Amino acid sequence: MNIETKGLHEGWKPSRGEPRQLPIYQSTTFKYDTSDEMGALFDLEASGYFYTRLQNPTNDCVAAKICEMEGGVAAMLTSSGQAANFYAIFNICESGDHFIASSAIYGGTYNLFGVTMKKMGIECTFVDQTLPEEELAKYFKPNTKAVFGETITNPTVTIIDFEKFARLAHSHGVPFIVDNTFATPANCRPFEWGADIVTHSTTKYMDGHAVGVDGCIVDSGNFDWMAHAEKFPGLTTPDDSYHGITYAKKFGKGAYITKATVQLMRDLGSIQSPQNAFYLNLGLETLSLRMEKHCSNALAVAKYLNSHDKVAWVHYASLEGDEYYDLAQKYLPNGTCGVLAFGVKGDRATANRFMDSLKLASIVTHVADSKSCLLHPASHTHRQLTEEQLIEAGISPDLIRLSVGLENIDDIIADLEQALAQA
Ligand SMILES: *Cc1c(COP(=O)(O)O)cnc(C)c1O
């Protein structure tokens, strides 16, 4: 099946007389006939549902759909994109370990990696993702356990060079983890370019309607944990909390997601509610269709802004002449996403006047849903970063992040036109 068809038909596959649409299993728990049956589930000797913190049929169908859309072998849903990125790293890093992340990643992830995980004894080095391979190689240490980046960075909308980062990670015996939130599998499938694990804030385009905060993790099954057993003891040595099960031996290609589910989700509990998974599934049904429209609208807006004399600069990788155009053509030839960044000529007050004058596009924290919206990262999402960190993340003080929605393009441009006139 192609991606559009997978979005509609993977996951829930009803048999005769069953509901056509995915049912919401709004139940915390599941019934068994004998005590032994339930015991086998707790020992991971048998598979089956017992408690929604670990697994739920609605969630599993949606995870399976995303897994198919990304071309992975296993997936799990989480309560947010933050939880997905935390679990993705924490599943293979413990106190004393180190990992490498692009400095251009989403502000929330930057805080998680640089501040909160540091308190847990896990050190992250943020790197300029545009550096040449031999420069980046210098950041690896004996205790480095992963490399992390975003397909399309939020909010600077630059494109990661997958092949460069995959080569770097693999030549150092560690997995390459990619947050594919902005591209979605409709526009890019990182596993096809060497990524090992993909994460998502499904809160964005996958849901697509701004109704639920949630996330997911997908494993390609390609990283050979046993080949680097000494680096990943959590996967390659017995887990005492499950009577000595060794995940990589018992679950093979499913080891990473199984461990994240039965150990991290069991203990930390950042589950997605089945109700949210249901909404997410509705979003996935039309994901490809919506991404096409987001991309064509955003390209038209980028062209319009680029030729406007009140606009200082525009970043949109699908726009010819953009610094990241070639990478976008290579990795995301069908389109990048609906988000673009630009600066209005003048000072901060000019930018504020422009933003406050918009009538259709609204000022919201959210991004990547059906309605056009925007924000000013330096004043909003990245408020906690110092001036220095902002520059390191590539965010100029005048950067406005515009998320182009699914409205008629003439209406979107008319709104920008009148607001720019007032700025
Ligand atoms: C929003 C976002 C996150 C965080 O996701 P939440 O669902 O808000 O927790 C992580 N990564 C990227 C790229 C994002 O855009």
Side-chain angles (χ1 to χ4, degrees), residues 201-221:
S201 165
T202 55
T203 316
K204 313 294 165 50
Y205 289 118
M206 281 190 164
D207 162 335
H209 303 79
V211 296
V213 170
D214 30 54
C216 83
I217 309 175
V218 189
D219 183 10
S220 67

Side-chain angles (χ1 to χ4, degrees), residues 11 19 31 56 101 172 204 226 329 356 383 385 408:
K31 176 186 168 292
N56 172 283
H172 291 87
K204 313 294 165 50
M226 287 312 281
Q329 289 303 302
D356 296 350
R383 238 190 139 80
L385 301 194
N408 182 289

Side-chain angles (χ1 to χ4, degrees), residues 78-313:
T78 59
S79 58
S80 65
Q82 287 299 108
N85 283 331
F86 173 60
Y87 280 34
I89 298 288
F90 197 57
N91 203 32
I92 49 172
C93 283
E94 53 188 50
S95 179
D97 285 344
H98 168 257
F99 68 104
I100 291 169
S102 159
S103 61
I105 55 175
Y106 170 69
T109 314
Y110 193 99
N111 269 318
L112 167 67
F113 291 174
V115 180
T116 299
M117 292 188 77
K118 191 176 177 183
K119 291 180 188 161
M120 305 171 80
I122 298 169
E123 187 201 359
C124 177
T125 302
F126 295 101
V127 300
D128 174 354
Q129 66 180 28
T130 63
L131 287 175
E133 211 165 319
E134 47 303 350
E135 287 298 313
L136 288 167
K138 293 179 187 161
Y139 292 101
F140 284 84
K141 305 180 187 190
N143 62 342
T144 303
K145 301 295 167 73
V147 174
F148 182 96
E150 291 173 359
T151 304
I152 305 174
T153 57
N154 176 5
T156 47
V157 292
T158 67
I159 310 292
I160 200 160
D161 187 343
F162 283 104
E163 289 180 335
K164 176 173 79 176
F165 274 88
R167 258 196 319 270
L168 270 166
H170 296 156
S171 63
H172 291 87
V174 302
F176 177 32
I177 305 178
V178 175
D179 180 333
N180 197 33
T181 297
F182 270 18
T184 83
N187 283 344
C188 181
R189 290 177 292 278
F191 298 154
E192 294 172 2
W193 298 103
D196 301 289
I197 290 147
V198 156
T199 62
H200 282 281
S201 165
T202 55
T203 316
K204 313 294 165 50
Y205 289 118
M206 281 190 164
D207 162 335
H209 303 79
V211 296
V213 170
D214 30 54
C216 83
I217 309 175
V218 189
D219 183 10
S220 67
N222 291 337
F223 193 82
D224 186 349
W225 306 104
M226 287 312 281
H228 307 281
E230 74 298 341
K231 275 194 202 294
F232 305 102
L235 281 156
T236 61
T237 60
D239 178 356
D240 292 338
S241 72
Y242 277 112
H243 311 306
I245 279 178
T246 299
Y247 295 102
K249 286 189 183 146
K250 190 165 169 77
F251 300 103
K253 284 187 181 298
Y256 178 88
I257 292 293
T258 301
K259 175 177 179 289
T261 302
V262 303
Q263 192 187 71
L264 299 188
M265 197 58 92
R266 178 196 63 186
D267 295 353
L268 300 169
S270 320
I271 56 149
Q272 188 170 129
S273 80
Q275 181 83 34
N276 270 18
F278 173 82
Y279 292 134
L280 173 54
N281 184 59
L282 286 184
L284 292 169
E285 291 195 352
T286 58
L287 178 68
S288 297
L289 187 63
R290 288 183 290 103
M291 287 310 286
E292 276 179 43
K293 182 76 172 171
H294 278 294
C295 289
S296 63
N297 274 355
L299 183 59
V301 167
K303 285 179 179 164
Y304 164 77
L305 290 174
N306 205 35
S307 63
H308 199 290
D309 58 11
K310 285 198 180 178
V311 173
W313 54 270

